[in-house]
Amino acid sequence: MADSSTNMRLRLPLLCIILEVILIILFGTLVEYNHDTDAKLWNKNRTGPRNDYENEFYYRYPSFQDVHVMIFVGFGFLMTFLQRYGFSSVGFNFLIAAFSLQWATLMQGFFHGMHHGKIHVGVESMINADFCTGAVLISFGAVLGKTSPVQLLVMAIFEVTLFAINEFILLSILGANDAGGSMTIHTFGAYFGLMVTRVLYRPNLSKSQQRNSSVYHSDLFAMIGTIYLWMFWPSFNSAITNYGDPQHRTAMNTYYSLAACTVATFAFSALVNPEGKLDMVHIQNAALAGGVAVGTAGEMMLTAFGSMIVGFLAGTISVLGYKYLTPVLESKLKIQDTCGINNLHGMPGILGAVVGAVTAALASKDVYGDGLQRVFADVETGKWSPESKGGFQAISLAVTLGIALFGGLVTGLILKLPIYGAPPDTHCFEDGLYWELPGEEEGHNELHEVATPNEVEKLNS
Amino acid sequence: MADSSTNMRLRLPLLCIILEVILIILFGTLVEYNHDTDAKLWNKNRTGPRNDYENEFYYRYPSFQDVHVMIFVGFGFLMTFLQRYGFSSVGFNFLIAAFSLQWATLMQGFFHGMHHGKIHVGVESMINADFCTGAVLISFGAVLGKTSPVQLLVMAIFEVTLFAINEFILLSILGANDAGGSMTIHTFGAYFGLMVTRVLYRPNLSKSQQRNSSVYHSDLFAMIGTIYLWMFWPSFNSAITNYGDPQHRTAMNTYYSLAACTVATFAFSALVNPEGKLDMVHIQNAALAGGVAVGTAGEMMLTAFGSMIVGFLAGTISVLGYKYLTPVLESKLKIQDTCGINNLHGMPGILGAVVGAVTAALASKDVYGDGLQRVFADVETGKWSPESKGGFQAISLAVTLGIALFGGLVTGLILKLPIYGAPPDTHCFEDGLYWELPGEEEGHNELHEVATPNEVEKLNS
Amino acid sequence: MADSSTNMRLRLPLLCIILEVILIILFGTLVEYNHDTDAKLWNKNRTGPRNDYENEFYYRYPSFQDVHVMIFVGFGFLMTFLQRYGFSSVGFNFLIAAFSLQWATLMQGFFHGMHHGKIHVGVESMINADFCTGAVLISFGAVLGKTSPVQLLVMAIFEVTLFAINEFILLSILGANDAGGSMTIHTFGAYFGLMVTRVLYRPNLSKSQQRNSSVYHSDLFAMIGTIYLWMFWPSFNSAITNYGDPQHRTAMNTYYSLAACTVATFAFSALVNPEGKLDMVHIQNAALAGGVAVGTAGEMMLTAFGSMIVGFLAGTISVLGYKYLTPVLESKLKIQDTCGINNLHGMPGILGAVVGAVTAALASKDVYGDGLQRVFADVETGKWSPESKGGFQAISLAVTLGIALFGGLVTGLILKLPIYGAPPDTHCFEDGLYWELPGEEEGHNELHEVATPNEVEKLNS
């Protein structure tokens, strides 16, 4: 089913090996254990039994593992909803995530983790690398089924780099708060991906339309992804907040936001269907928007009440987006968004940024007490005021959108070069191009023969 | 495949939106951050670096996440064993759990978490809310396939309320121990659900019999649920015990109980089959009974030895129940128990309550030392004696059964009203009524056409 | 589909019940709570609020749960790739793991956990029991599809015992480091299993060849296993290292090793395929070899750089092994290795042992500072030198290989007795022998009829 144009035999190994060798060399040159992972540093001046429970590992590792599950199982299985693209969904997700987390360690370290010329790594850098990887996987959702693994790796190279730059501007220069990444991860990943897919617009994608849909069991596999993302989102948003009350509060705010979002999703999914039937696309995706939308404000004193309002809005917006906006984006703006990332990450990410700006602008010593500077680190500088903080949060959103769209444009143009083995319009959403497919059980040998004999003949020639 | 009587277009959105708005208003009025989630309270009188590792988050959040997985993946996928009801199993589980955990926060807070007129929330209340949700999902198992989502939400409203009342009586008035909920969760959820399904008895359910069974891959999806419930049950039972030894001991007792239970389940599953073949229904369910049965005594000095005996008994009872009791309950008592919750939660729950009463009655300063009052908080009052404690545990079981059965009766009668869009007897265990079903792969378009053309015609008219 | 020779009705229940009764008696006689799980001991001499956060539970329980997921979901689902053996893969995995962890508690306790004649248990012994179980499940991979559950239990009895002996020699006598079990778990489990399958060689296995392969959805189920093993391997390798920096460092080293391994796996999987297509067998298995290969050195100052080199090598070796070595082992050495455990656990395990020996030989006070003796406990004895340490590590590998191969030989011969109900050559890789299979959906009743009518007739007679 593969012709030479999509043959990965040289392209993929060559790119993978070159990239990994570069990574290894750069790690060898630049990366060092940080204070909590280094045998010498952690045990320095040890007098009596050291309080090992103060090692950052015990504060963050359980959250890290939850985030890790979201990245590899959550994103990976969420995208298995396509009937013939399950291997690629989980598999390419696996590949580009494994690459991106290494590259992100370097890029994020380079921009905001250098100590005397070295990048220091530990559990926090692992979480941040996974976060950056999340943005790449969001963008993957937009181009799902229409790209070769080589294209995806190239996209990851650029996106990770630009992610690190944007994150540096937001967190280090503008001093923005964005612990759960409404802006840095979701808004960035979504609009980067949407711009890439716009540039890669395929006018004849309808030729693969029959595969651009789910079957019964593929939808159940996708629900594995959905539920894991949903359950562990509280860990995601709280993974790198300050210790103590912020981490605890963020997890709880996210929990309530998601619960309200899910109820709203079911409500609107039934409402927009003429027969009142629920749509798996909404349940799989929109129910998660509540996690996105409290990604910035979750660590603040948003309250359960505020979180639930935000979650309810996010679920509503997301379902309506799937129903009414996605078709328009495709027909009018030529944005072919396979997973509907605009509805799950784009609009809810912007909502999250706005909620974050407003919540920050309402912060006060009255409400936060001595905890104020544990949420807003820049309080200590004295230049801080709630209003200016809210303003910087808003500016951060604009910067993010700008870098994402511009970066997506450039990356899209690079990905358009005809050298990556992208699938033809007739064979998008098809595992058979890049994977050895197993045979079928007796009596089922017709299962994957959607391609007509003619097409197969042509491709095999 | 849906006719107007099961159309959810207005009913479901209306109920969801009204409920969520009420929840949001009540949260806005009544709910506050507790000491460990509030920025001001946690950082009060901070002198030098506060010991953030003492925040309850670090003691309970990993357990909470395990419980969360059990509620959403465990229960959700366990019920996907039905061939045509996977969307509803995972999906309705998702909806009613998301609603119930919010409603439970309020009800449990109202009955035993008020501080100066406010409900204080943190990771412990999140665990308790998930626990209460668990009881609703147990009851869901009894009526699985025979109820509309609107009915399930209405059931959840009543069940959560009664759960909170029963929990209040047991823990606050009777001073019972029940950290893992043998009584409050499993016995309550099971007998509430069994009574509901008794009241909703469908004499013509046999018309849907061909869908009331599994297929090969649906059984594998169900095993995902089983295994997650099994693995994380130690976290479930230990999630809200006291810190330190009780939490550690509870997890370990549960671990051994489940291991012994699994061996017993395989043994008896093969033994009761004429050809010695194992039955997936037993493996999926009975292997979990060991977790239920140490839900009360797990935190006590039950020992690994005691835990294994209890687990072995629970697995045995459960398999025998599936084989011999369930058919009798259906034919004689008209109890149609789709998932066999009597065997997984009902009888093992009662066993757990009895084991808890006996273990409590055997407690002594000799065995527990200074740890006695960390397990039995009421020791401090001075009125405590092992015998009286054992007695109160027994009374607690009786109270639980009474409230569950009476509550199930009333709730069942309310659910019998013909206004909720329940499925007709001919279309139970069928996703198509409430879900947009995906098409099938070429050559498979016959996959979900179990309904005869006649029926479809009638339904579509 | 089952004839009397494979009937489990008496054999399986009898063995299970006898084993469990023996286990319960031995637990009752020998096992006690350890200091951190016993109510009396933990609360002894309590003055003021005890620091419950120092209980081992909070250091190790999250890691334990991750390991637990690997054992039950990871191994269980990894083996569901076979088209008709999913029930057995997950189910028998469940059974032998539940048995093995109990038996391992006793055997490991007997050899290196006795205190005044009693075995003390807590979260560390739970992790160790799960580890030992892992070795049994590795061996299970070699004989997958060709053994009855009774055979598997008998294998587990012997393998657990020999595992504990080997572990005792390595850790207690030779003082080797092997926190993640490159030697004790992976090398041991692999070569034990390979020897067992060699002894059980089936010359006519080709009669079942048509079932010894995957179908589309069975490969997706297997990816659930793969991804969970991959994600939680950092927890596996770090679960029983010392607190603080070693645990933190081990998790991170494993994280980077696996990432590099995954990139290598994709590269070489495409490279060795004539059409450049990826092979699910490689992705499912070889991508995990990086975790195996840092099982010994992970806790040492291997650095991210070193970990990535090791991971890259492991992935490469593993893919090449699947492609070129496995067929040769089968045709020349008569080793029928269903899951290719030699490629995933065997060779990477040896690599891990060698890397561990080299890294240990390069250890110095210079690099480790005061942390040296927290990694190499035997430093304190004064007899320690890096060179001797490296030597003992190498000897440990040799001992492991010797015990595994000899033990596998003896166990294989015992398993060859014709009393266990092993499947005939014509019905390997077939759930129907040991499980009640569900019917199929209408229009699909041919799904599992691979056996010809003739065969069925013969078997049913």
Side-chain angles (χ1 to χ4, degrees):
Chain A
M1 210 183 281
D3 71 331
S4 65
S5 77
T6 60
N7 192 315
M8 290 289 120
R9 185 155 196 194
L10 291 181
R11 278 182 275 226
L12 184 61
L14 219 65
L15 181 61
C16 284
I17 292 169
I18 291 173
L19 286 177
E20 192 59 45
V21 169
I22 292 173
L23 284 169
I24 290 175
I25 293 170
L26 290 175
F27 265 75
T29 327
L30 291 171
V31 173
E32 275 184 1
Y33 289 125
N34 73 4
H35 179 269
D36 289 24
T37 43
D38 189 274
K40 198 173 190 173
L41 296 176
W42 179 253
N43 295 287
K44 218 171 188 172
N45 304 322
R46 200 188 186 82
T47 57
R50 171 86 182 222
N51 294 334
D52 279 321
Y53 49 79
E54 290 181 8
N55 194 296
E56 190 170 21
F57 184 77
Y58 303 103
Y59 289 93
R60 303 220 185 272
Y61 187 70
S63 304
F64 161 73
Q65 274 297 0
D66 292 349
V67 171
H68 218 37
V69 171
M70 292 173 73
I71 296 299
F72 287 88
V73 164
F75 281 106
F77 277 89
L78 181 60
M79 296 188 283
T80 57
F81 72 98
L82 289 172
Q83 58 182 278
R84 294 163 62 90
Y85 210 63
F87 288 13
S88 302
S89 297
V90 178
F92 295 165
N93 187 84
F94 192 17
L95 171 62
I96 60 177
F99 164 71
S100 296
L101 65 87
Q102 298 175 75
W103 183 234
T105 304
L106 292 172
M107 286 297 107
Q108 294 178 312
F110 184 72
F111 283 109
H112 46 96
M114 294 298 268
H115 303 263
H116 310 292
K118 295 284 182 179
I119 294 166
H120 286 196
V121 291
V123 67
E124 192 176 339
S125 74
M126 290 160 69
I127 294 170
N128 279 319
D130 268 37
F131 276 3
C132 176
T133 298
V136 179
L137 300 178
I138 290 167
S139 303
F140 179 27
V143 298
L144 187 76
K146 301 171 294 185
T147 40
S148 76
V150 169
Q151 271 177 307
L152 293 171
L153 283 170
V154 173
M155 183 177 86
I157 297 170
F158 288 98
E159 184 164 1
V160 165
T161 311
L162 291 164
F163 176 99
I165 293 172
N166 183 57
E167 191 184 40
F168 169 68
I169 296 173
L170 264 61
L171 306 188
S172 302
I173 299 185
L174 297 172
N177 276 47
D178 198 21
S182 288
M183 294 181 286
T184 53
I185 303 168
H186 299 288
T187 304
F188 182 85
Y191 292 100
F192 186 97
L194 289 169
M195 187 52 103
V196 168
T197 199
R198 173 65 191 82
V199 176
L200 297 179
Y201 177 66
R202 287 168 178 267
N204 297 313
L205 190 60
S206 60
K207 289 184 182 168
S208 290
Q209 203 53 46
Q210 81 280 17
R211 280 184 306 266
N212 186 7
S213 60
S214 64
V215 290
Y216 194 70
H217 279 167
S218 72
D219 267 327
L220 278 180
F221 278 112
M223 279 304 285
I224 297 175
T226 297
I227 299 284
Y228 271 101
L229 288 169
W230 195 91
M231 293 185 304
F232 289 164
W233 217 295
S235 303
F236 190 93
N237 284 347
S238 66
I240 55 157
T241 62
N242 246 320
Y243 298 162
D245 65 289
Q247 207 168 358
H248 198 162
R249 184 170 55 246
T250 311
M252 193 166 65
N253 286 339
T254 308
Y255 172 79
Y256 284 118
S257 174
L258 284 164
C261 178
T262 300
V263 176
T265 298
F266 275 83
F268 285 91
S269 183
L271 191 63
V272 300
N273 182 288
E275 290 177 300
K277 290 188 183 183
L278 297 161
D279 190 327
M280 262 291 167
V281 173
H282 305 155
I283 309 307
Q284 283 161 8
N285 293 282
L288 300 168
V292 175
V294 296
T296 304
E299 65 175 321
M300 305 176 194
M301 291 289 284
L302 181 60
T303 73
F305 168 67
S307 304
M308 288 159 72
I309 293 174
V310 174
F312 190 88
L313 282 177
T316 306
I317 289 171
S318 191
V319 171
L320 298 179
Y322 275 102
K323 181 74 182 180
Y324 302 110
L325 192 56
T326 295
V328 174
L329 288 185
E330 177 150 2
S331 61
K332 304 289 178 198
L333 299 185
K334 300 185 176 177
I335 297 173
Q336 294 160 326
D337 177 6
T338 310
C339 293
I341 62 167
N342 185 47
N343 311 306
L344 169 46
H345 301 279
M347 295 187 297
I350 293 176
L351 173 63
V354 172
V355 171
V358 172
T359 314
L362 295 172
S364 71
K365 188 89 184 173
D366 234 38
V367 174
Y368 291 75
D370 292 336
L372 189 61
Q373 73 191 55
R374 309 194 72 213
V375 176
F376 303 104
D378 41 1
V379 170
E380 292 175 68
T381 64
K383 289 184 290 188
W384 185 88
S385 81
E387 296 75 27
S388 72
K389 180 74 189 177
F392 279 119
Q393 294 289 127
I395 293 169
S396 295
L397 173 61
V399 170
T400 300
L401 284 168
I403 295 181
L405 289 171
F406 178 75
L409 176 66
V410 174
T411 306
L413 289 171
I414 293 168
L415 293 181
K416 230 180 159 154
L417 298 174
I419 57 175
Y420 306 108
D425 288 355
T426 50
H427 282 77
C428 288
F429 315 113
E430 169 62 58
D431 274 337
L433 286 183
Y434 304 116
W435 295 85
E436 282 289 344
L437 288 185
E440 290 305 316
E441 297 158 290
E442 207 140 292
H444 283 244
N445 43 15
E446 78 285 18
L447 191 61
H448 288 291
E449 295 192 357
V450 172
T452 67
N454 252 359
E455 287 172 329
V456 174
E457 210 172 286
K458 215 175 70 192
L459 282 165
N460 285 343
S461 69
Chain B
M1 210 181 279
D3 69 333
S4 64
S5 76
T6 60
N7 192 314
M8 289 289 119
R9 186 154 196 196
L10 292 180
R11 279 181 275 226
L12 185 61
L14 219 65
L15 181 61
C16 283
I17 293 170
I18 290 173
L19 287 177
E20 192 59 46
V21 169
I22 292 173
L23 285 169
I24 290 175
I25 292 171
L26 290 174
F27 265 76
T29 326
L30 291 171
V31 173
E32 276 184 0
Y33 289 125
N34 73 5
H35 178 269
D36 289 25
T37 44
D38 188 274
K40 197 172 189 174
L41 296 176
W42 180 254
N43 294 289
K44 220 170 186 173
N45 304 323
R46 199 188 185 83
T47 56
R50 170 87 183 220
N51 294 334
D52 278 321
Y53 50 78
E54 292 182 6
N55 192 296
E56 191 170 18
F57 183 77
Y58 304 102
Y59 289 92
R60 302 221 185 269
Y61 188 71
S63 305
F64 161 73
Q65 274 297 0
D66 292 351
V67 171
H68 218 40
V69 171
M70 293 174 73
I71 296 298
F72 287 88
V73 164
F75 281 105
F77 278 88
L78 181 60
M79 296 188 282
T80 58
F81 73 97
L82 289 172
Q83 58 182 278
R84 294 164 63 88
Y85 210 62
F87 288 13
S88 303
S89 297
V90 178
F92 296 164
N93 187 84
F94 193 16
L95 171 62
I96 61 176
F99 164 71
S100 296
L101 66 85
Q102 298 175 75
W103 183 234
T105 305
L106 293 172
M107 287 296 106
Q108 294 178 315
F110 184 72
F111 283 109
H112 47 95
M114 295 297 267
H115 303 263
H116 309 293
K118 295 285 183 180
I119 294 165
H120 286 196
V121 291
V123 68
E124 193 177 340
S125 74
M126 290 159 68
I127 294 170
N128 278 320
D130 269 35
F131 275 4
C132 177
T133 299
V136 178
L137 300 178
I138 290 166
S139 303
F140 179 28
V143 297
L144 187 75
K146 300 171 295 185
T147 40
S148 76
V150 169
Q151 272 177 307
L152 294 170
L153 283 170
V154 172
M155 183 178 85
I157 296 170
F158 287 98
E159 184 164 2
V160 165
T161 310
L162 291 164
F163 177 99
I165 293 173
N166 184 56
E167 191 183 40
F168 170 68
I169 296 173
L170 263 61
L171 306 188
S172 302
I173 299 185
L174 296 172
N177 276 49
D178 198 20
S182 287
M183 295 180 285
T184 54
I185 303 168
H186 299 288
T187 305
F188 182 85
Y191 291 100
F192 185 97
L194 290 170
M195 185 53 103
V196 168
T197 199
R198 172 65 192 80
V199 176
L200 297 180
Y201 178 65
R202 288 169 179 267
N204 297 313
L205 190 61
S206 60
K207 289 183 180 167
S208 290
Q209 204 52 46
Q210 81 279 19
R211 282 185 305 266
N212 187 8
S213 60
S214 63
V215 291
Y216 194 70
H217 279 167
S218 72
D219 268 327
L220 277 180
F221 277 112
M223 280 303 285
I224 298 175
T226 297
I227 299 285
Y228 272 101
L229 288 168
W230 195 92
M231 293 185 304
F232 289 165
W233 217 296
S235 303
F236 190 94
N237 284 347
S238 66
I240 55 159
T241 62
N242 246 319
Y243 299 161
D245 66 288
Q247 206 169 359
H248 197 161
R249 183 170 57 244
T250 310
M252 192 167 65
N253 286 339
T254 309
Y255 172 80
Y256 285 118
S257 174
L258 283 164
C261 178
T262 300
V263 176
T265 297
F266 275 83
F268 285 91
S269 183
L271 191 63
V272 299
N273 183 287
E275 289 177 302
K277 290 189 183 182
L278 297 162
D279 190 328
M280 261 292 165
V281 172
H282 305 153
I283 309 306
Q284 283 162 8
N285 293 282
L288 300 168
V292 175
V294 295
T296 304
E299 65 175 321
M300 306 176 194
M301 290 289 284
L302 181 61
T303 75
F305 168 66
S307 305
M308 288 158 72
I309 293 174
V310 174
F312 191 88
L313 282 177
T316 306
I317 289 171
S318 192
V319 171
L320 298 179
Y322 274 102
K323 182 73 183 180
Y324 302 110
L325 192 56
T326 295
V328 175
L329 288 185
E330 177 151 0
S331 61
K332 304 289 178 197
L333 298 185
K334 299 186 175 174
I335 297 173
Q336 293 160 327
D337 177 6
T338 310
C339 293
I341 62 167
N342 184 49
N343 311 306
L344 169 47
H345 301 279
M347 295 186 298
I350 293 176
L351 173 64
V354 172
V355 170
V358 172
T359 315
L362 296 171
S364 71
K365 187 89 184 174
D366 234 38
V367 175
Y368 291 75
D370 292 336
L372 189 60
Q373 71 192 57
R374 308 193 73 215
V375 176
F376 304 103
D378 42 359
V379 170
E380 292 175 68
T381 65
K383 288 183 292 187
W384 185 88
S385 80
E387 297 75 26
S388 71
K389 180 75 190 177
F392 280 119
Q393 293 289 127
I395 293 169
S396 296
L397 173 60
V399 169
T400 301
L401 284 169
I403 295 180
L405 290 171
F406 178 75
L409 176 66
V410 174
T411 306
L413 290 171
I414 293 167
L415 294 181
K416 229 179 159 156
L417 299 174
I419 57 174
Y420 306 109
D425 288 354
T426 49
H427 281 78
C428 288
F429 314 114
E430 169 61 57
D431 274 337
L433 286 183
Y434 304 115
W435 296 86
E436 281 290 343
L437 288 185
E440 290 304 317
E441 296 158 291
E442 207 142 292
H444 282 244
N445 44 15
E446 78 285 17
L447 190 60
H448 288 291
E449 294 193 358
V450 172
T452 68
N454 251 1
E455 288 173 329
V456 174
E457 210 173 285
K458 216 175 72 193
L459 283 166
N460 286 344
S461 66
Chain C
M1 207 183 280
D3 70 332
S4 64
S5 76
T6 60
N7 191 314
M8 289 289 121
R9 184 153 196 197
L10 292 180
R11 279 181 275 227
L12 184 60
L14 219 65
L15 181 61
C16 283
I17 293 170
I18 290 173
L19 286 178
E20 192 60 44
V21 168
I22 292 173
L23 285 170
I24 290 175
I25 293 171
L26 289 175
F27 265 76
T29 325
L30 290 172
V31 173
E32 276 185 358
Y33 289 125
N34 74 4
H35 178 270
D36 290 23
T37 43
D38 189 275
K40 198 173 188 174
L41 296 176
W42 179 254
N43 295 288
K44 220 171 186 172
N45 305 323
R46 198 188 187 83
T47 56
R50 171 87 184 221
N51 294 334
D52 278 321
Y53 49 78
E54 291 182 6
N55 193 296
E56 192 170 19
F57 184 77
Y58 303 103
Y59 289 92
R60 303 220 184 270
Y61 187 70
S63 305
F64 161 73
Q65 274 298 359
D66 292 350
V67 170
H68 217 40
V69 171
M70 294 174 72
I71 296 298
F72 288 87
V73 165
F75 281 106
F77 278 89
L78 182 60
M79 296 188 282
T80 58
F81 71 98
L82 289 171
Q83 58 182 278
R84 294 163 63 88
Y85 210 63
F87 288 13
S88 302
S89 297
V90 178
F92 296 164
N93 187 83
F94 193 16
L95 172 63
I96 61 178
F99 164 72
S100 296
L101 65 86
Q102 298 175 74
W103 184 234
T105 304
L106 293 172
M107 286 297 106
Q108 294 177 314
F110 184 73
F111 283 109
H112 46 95
M114 295 297 268
H115 302 264
H116 308 292
K118 295 285 182 178
I119 294 165
H120 286 195
V121 290
V123 68
E124 193 176 339
S125 74
M126 290 159 68
I127 294 170
N128 278 319
D130 268 36
F131 275 4
C132 176
T133 299
V136 178
L137 301 178
I138 290 167
S139 303
F140 179 28
V143 298
L144 187 75
K146 302 171 293 185
T147 39
S148 76
V150 169
Q151 271 177 307
L152 294 171
L153 282 170
V154 172
M155 183 178 86
I157 297 170
F158 287 98
E159 183 164 3
V160 165
T161 310
L162 290 164
F163 177 99
I165 293 173
N166 184 57
E167 191 184 39
F168 170 68
I169 296 173
L170 263 61
L171 306 189
S172 302
I173 299 186
L174 296 173
N177 277 46
D178 198 19
S182 288
M183 295 181 285
T184 54
I185 302 169
H186 299 288
T187 305
F188 181 85
Y191 292 99
F192 186 97
L194 290 169
M195 186 51 104
V196 167
T197 199
R198 172 65 191 82
V199 176
L200 298 180
Y201 177 65
R202 288 168 179 267
N204 297 312
L205 190 59
S206 60
K207 289 184 181 167
S208 291
Q209 205 52 47
Q210 81 279 20
R211 281 185 305 266
N212 187 7
S213 61
S214 64
V215 290
Y216 194 70
H217 278 166
S218 72
D219 267 327
L220 277 180
F221 278 111
M223 279 303 285
I224 298 175
T226 298
I227 300 284
Y228 272 100
L229 288 168
W230 195 92
M231 293 185 304
F232 289 163
W233 218 296
S235 303
F236 190 93
N237 285 348
S238 65
I240 55 159
T241 61
N242 247 321
Y243 298 162
D245 65 289
Q247 206 168 359
H248 197 161
R249 183 168 59 246
T250 311
M252 193 167 64
N253 287 339
T254 309
Y255 172 80
Y256 285 117
S257 174
L258 284 164
C261 178
T262 301
V263 176
T265 298
F266 275 83
F268 285 91
S269 183
L271 191 63
V272 300
N273 183 288
E275 291 177 300
K277 290 189 184 183
L278 298 161
D279 190 328
M280 260 292 165
V281 172
H282 305 155
I283 309 305
Q284 283 161 9
N285 294 282
L288 300 169
V292 175
V294 295
T296 303
E299 65 174 322
M300 305 175 195
M301 290 289 285
L302 182 60
T303 75
F305 168 68
S307 304
M308 287 159 73
I309 293 174
V310 174
F312 191 88
L313 283 177
T316 306
I317 290 172
S318 192
V319 172
L320 298 179
Y322 275 102
K323 181 74 182 179
Y324 303 109
L325 192 56
T326 295
V328 174
L329 288 185
E330 177 150 0
S331 61
K332 303 290 178 200
L333 298 185
K334 300 186 176 175
I335 297 174
Q336 294 159 327
D337 178 6
T338 311
C339 293
I341 63 166
N342 184 49
N343 310 306
L344 168 47
H345 301 279
M347 295 187 298
I350 293 176
L351 173 63
V354 172
V355 171
V358 173
T359 315
L362 295 172
S364 71
K365 187 90 184 172
D366 235 36
V367 174
Y368 291 75
D370 292 335
L372 190 60
Q373 72 191 57
R374 309 195 72 214
V375 176
F376 303 104
D378 42 1
V379 170
E380 292 175 68
T381 64
K383 289 184 290 188
W384 186 87
S385 80
E387 297 74 26
S388 72
K389 181 73 190 178
F392 280 118
Q393 293 289 129
I395 294 168
S396 295
L397 173 61
V399 169
T400 300
L401 284 169
I403 296 181
L405 290 171
F406 178 76
L409 176 66
V410 173
T411 306
L413 291 171
I414 293 168
L415 294 181
K416 232 183 156 152
L417 299 175
I419 57 174
Y420 307 109
D425 288 356
T426 49
H427 281 77
C428 287
F429 315 113
E430 169 61 58
D431 274 337
L433 286 182
Y434 303 116
W435 295 86
E436 281 290 344
L437 288 186
E440 289 305 315
E441 296 158 291
E442 207 140 292
H444 281 244
N445 44 16
E446 78 284 17
L447 190 61
H448 288 291
E449 295 195 358
V450 172
T452 67
N454 253 0
E455 288 172 329
V456 174
E457 209 172 286
K458 215 175 73 192
L459 282 166
N460 286 343
S461 65

